[in-house]
Amino acid sequence: TMLTYRKAVDKEAIRTFSGLKVLVFGLGILGGGVAAANWLIRHKARVTITDLKPETELTESLNRLEQSVSMRLGGHDEADIRNCDLVLFNPDIPVRSPYVALANKLNKRVENEATLFYRLCRLPIVAVTGTRGKTTTCAWIEHILNQRFIAAPAGNSPENPFMHTLQVLENTVRDREPNSNAKARIIVNELPSYHLEYFEGVAHSPDVAVITNIFQDHLNRHTSMQEYVDTKANIFRNQTMEQFLILNHGNPWTAYLGQQTGRRPLMHFSMSELPTGVAGLYYENGFLYTQNRSASNGEKVLGVKGFTERWGRHNLENLLAAVLAANLAGVSWTEIQPAIDTLPEIAFRQEVVFKNHQLQVVNDNAATSPDGCMAAIVRFGGKSCVLITGGTDRELDYTAWAESVKKRIQADHLVFLEGSATDKMLHELREYVTSPTILTSLDDCFNTALERAKGFETAVIVFSPGAKSFEKFDNEFARGRAFNAVVDRLLR
């Protein structure tokens, strides 16, 4: 089904934006709002922009707008919602916001950049959600798909906002002729829960949907774990019988998600042999095996010896999800095998940013939850590991994180960046860490870590916050870049 002929975009639906009064609710500073506003401007929509930030904080975004539009900055006014046809909400606006409620009450069309993309793009889509591993899994799916197709990322980074990708498809993709030899295009996109909150009314679901795992996260935005998981489930709500859902067999929430899938094709990936009657892909003794529902044992399809030594155990799960998705999308196992040797390393995800004979420095800035940090501790922890951690609390539980720290990180090898999550971490470690090192900047943290690493023949410094960074940085990308800048300044 992935290879069937499709037009790239719905040109008829796109034409309806001409003259439409659209309120861009939150321009933001990461690029998605600007890409959406510029797309709307090009398609002759009547655009108004509103943002809580004042003009001085939005200068860079405002300078990238292709023409002047009506604006209300430094606050919102309900009148703007009343006077528009469609409200395009920024990802920072939760779906339970009173402004979203007002737009729905007034029967306004409510979208975010991801829902808009899904309504207008007609190419096959492979999409990934989950608490951990989304970005790595997406990047690896894209890498593997490129063995056979042209894989286009959408919404996976500030460099590829959804509406920028849509514009590229409109401008450069001619409708592929049926049965032509031209490479088919497939979209690969990451769907965090803040996008999926708005997906209940979206008619199109991904052709291959992946849920990497579910752990406690975003409880500052969702009222409960149940609500968080139900939001993740929006990725497959409108799938057809010709589309696929991939779940993590070993995750505690998989049974619950499986109950909601109806009769659509369901595949599992697993770090151990799958039970009889469960279809999917599993790992055993250096090999990956595929299994269908009617088989009592799997068929060996890929060799991955040495993979966990190079990438870590958690990345073997990401690999299982990625290769299964790519295979369902139409890439053969024989095409996938060589692609495993050239998988890209992903920025800020256990990324080795410095290495010499004595020291390795790892930027794991993307570990914004306890589980993310624990994966880094499992991979790099030991007597000569110094961990820089801490940040902003989002109502997450650090009990299991603290147990992991106690097992693998020496108390005097912990360096904390101050913050509300740091306070919770230290509470959980109160008997283990009696005189904690709490510092106010990444510079100070890294300098201190360097001093502690000097006593070892070979050492590793891991920056894995286990938390967000609202209190010190504009966003996670800024924090990751700031750490790399410190490393460059002190070691290069």
Side-chain angles (χ1 to χ4, degrees):
T1 58
M2 298 291 287
L3 294 174
T4 54
Y5 167 67
R6 298 192 197 180
K7 293 181 178 179
V9 295
D10 187 336
K11 291 178 180 173
E12 213 170 288
I14 287 171
R15 278 192 283 271
T16 65
F17 282 84
S18 180
L20 200 69
K21 290 189 285 186
V22 182
L23 178 63
V24 176
F25 200 101
L27 183 66
I29 57 175
L30 289 179
V34 170
N38 282 335
W39 186 89
L40 291 161
I41 288 166
R42 285 184 209 125
H43 291 82
K44 300 182 170 57
R46 294 159 64 188
V47 178
T48 300
I49 290 171
T50 180
D51 201 298
L52 280 177
K53 289 185 174 70
E55 188 173 346
T56 51
E57 292 180 34
L58 292 167
T59 306
E60 195 176 325
S61 292
L62 293 171
N63 287 342
R64 289 164 59 201
L65 291 175
E66 292 177 2
Q67 73 178 52
S68 297
V69 297
S70 174
M71 284 192 224
R72 187 186 304 278
L73 304 178
H76 302 305
D77 191 322
E78 291 184 0
D80 291 324
I81 295 177
R82 294 179 189 279
N83 294 332
C84 73
D85 303 311
L86 183 157
V87 191
L88 186 74
F89 284 102
N90 183 286
D92 275 350
I93 313 297
V95 79
R96 67 162 55 79
S97 157
Y99 293 110
V100 179
L102 176 65
N104 284 323
K105 184 181 173 186
L106 295 170
N107 291 317
K108 303 297 181 182
R109 189 170 152 193
V110 169
E111 305 273 6
N112 65 20
E113 56 183 296
T115 62
L116 206 55
F117 181 86
Y118 267 70
R119 290 190 201 284
L120 302 175
C121 176
R122 285 292 169 268
L123 292 175
I125 297 178
V126 179
V128 181
T129 194
T131 310
R132 301 289 311 151
K134 292 185 293 294
T135 304
T136 299
T137 303
C138 269
W140 288 359
I141 289 171
E142 187 188 333
H143 173 75
I144 297 164
L145 286 177
N146 275 323
Q147 309 305 303
R148 170 169 279 232
F149 307 110
I150 299 170
N156 298 344
S157 70
E159 294 78 44
N160 290 296
F162 279 100
M163 300 314 287
H164 171 71
T165 301
L166 191 75
Q167 187 69 63
V168 169
L169 293 176
E170 288 178 71
N171 292 347
T172 63
V173 181
R174 292 177 182 170
D175 293 347
R176 193 170 66 89
E177 294 302 321
N179 307 317
S180 80
N181 291 322
K183 277 189 170 183
R185 288 181 183 258
I186 295 182
I187 300 297
V188 182
N189 85 269
E190 184 177 329
L191 285 176
S193 54
Y194 56 71
H195 280 320
L196 286 168
E197 284 179 23
Y198 287 79
F199 261 61
E200 283 194 30
V202 175
H204 299 283
S205 283
D207 296 272
V208 178
V210 181
I211 303 181
T212 56
N213 48 53
I214 303 281
F215 299 115
Q216 190 188 54
D217 203 359
H218 299 299
L219 296 187
N220 57 325
R221 183 154 173 156
H222 299 281
T223 57
S224 65
M225 272 300 289
Q226 181 81 48
E227 186 191 279
Y228 172 56
V229 178
D230 287 341
T231 300
K232 291 293 190 192
N234 283 342
I235 196 171
F236 63 76
R237 297 245 187 246
N238 294 310
Q239 278 191 317
T240 67
M241 290 302 293
E242 286 73 46
Q243 296 172 317
F244 294 97
L245 173 63
I246 298 172
L247 298 177
N248 183 338
H249 188 73
N251 191 263
W253 284 96
T254 292
Y256 173 77
L257 289 166
Q259 288 162 9
Q260 299 183 57
T261 59
R263 289 176 54 252
R264 69 178 57 82
L266 176 58
M267 308 290 279
H268 287 222
F269 64 93
S270 175
M271 294 288 278
S272 56
E273 190 175 351
L274 285 167
T276 301
V278 176
L281 187 73
Y282 66 86
Y283 170 80
E284 192 171 66
N285 294 329
F287 294 94
L288 304 190
Y289 295 79
T290 183
Q291 177 171 296
N292 62 41
R293 273 186 191 78
S294 56
S296 56
N297 60 336
E299 176 195 349
K300 187 189 290 185
V301 287
L302 294 169
V304 292
K305 282 182 177 166
F307 187 88
T308 49
E309 288 76 14
R310 182 183 172 197
W311 292 99
R313 182 179 165 82
H314 70 291
N315 269 325
L316 181 55
E317 285 202 351
N318 295 333
L319 179 73
L320 280 157
V323 298
L324 181 54
N327 180 252
L328 291 172
V331 187
S332 70
W333 299 118
T334 52
E335 290 169 313
I336 290 172
Q337 183 69 69
I340 294 173
D341 295 330
T342 52
L343 290 170
E345 189 168 62
I346 315 303
F348 307 154
R349 283 156 180 82
Q350 298 190 6
E351 180 188 14
V352 177
V353 293
F354 177 86
K355 190 172 186 178
N356 65 17
H357 66 283
Q358 191 267 330
L359 179 67
Q360 182 174 225
V361 180
V362 178
N363 186 343
D364 191 34
N365 172 73
T368 58
S369 68
D371 296 284
C373 184
M374 285 159 66
I377 291 168
V378 167
R379 183 177 176 190
F380 297 104
K383 287 182 179 177
S384 58
C385 176
V386 182
L387 176 66
I388 302 170
T389 193
T392 304
D393 184 33
R394 290 175 298 143
E395 300 173 34
L396 302 180
D397 185 346
Y398 286 89
T399 312
W401 172 89
E403 291 307 310
S404 181
V405 167
K406 289 174 194 174
K407 281 180 193 165
R408 292 176 180 265
I409 308 291
Q410 291 183 198
D412 60 347
H413 285 185
L414 285 162
V415 180
F416 294 92
L417 182 65
E418 69 174 1
S420 48
T422 305
D423 298 337
K424 283 179 79 169
M425 290 170 163
L426 288 167
H427 177 74
E428 294 296 337
L429 292 170
R430 56 195 177 278
E431 289 164 12
Y432 186 66
V433 181
T434 50
S435 51
T437 302
I438 309 167
L439 302 168
T440 58
S441 71
L442 282 179
D443 268 280
D444 291 342
C445 286
F446 190 66
N447 260 318
T448 303
L450 272 177
E451 284 301 313
R452 296 186 184 174
K454 279 178 183 172
F456 295 92
E457 199 173 313
T458 57
V460 58
I461 295 173
V462 178
F463 173 51
S464 187
K468 289 275 190 183
S469 59
F470 312 133
E471 294 151 331
K472 289 192 175 290
F473 299 93
D474 288 340
N475 53 65
E476 303 316 312
F477 299 101
R479 181 175 65 181
R481 288 193 294 267
F483 181 77
N484 283 349
V486 173
V487 175
D488 282 345
R489 195 161 57 248
L490 294 173
L491 293 180
R492 289 192 172 96

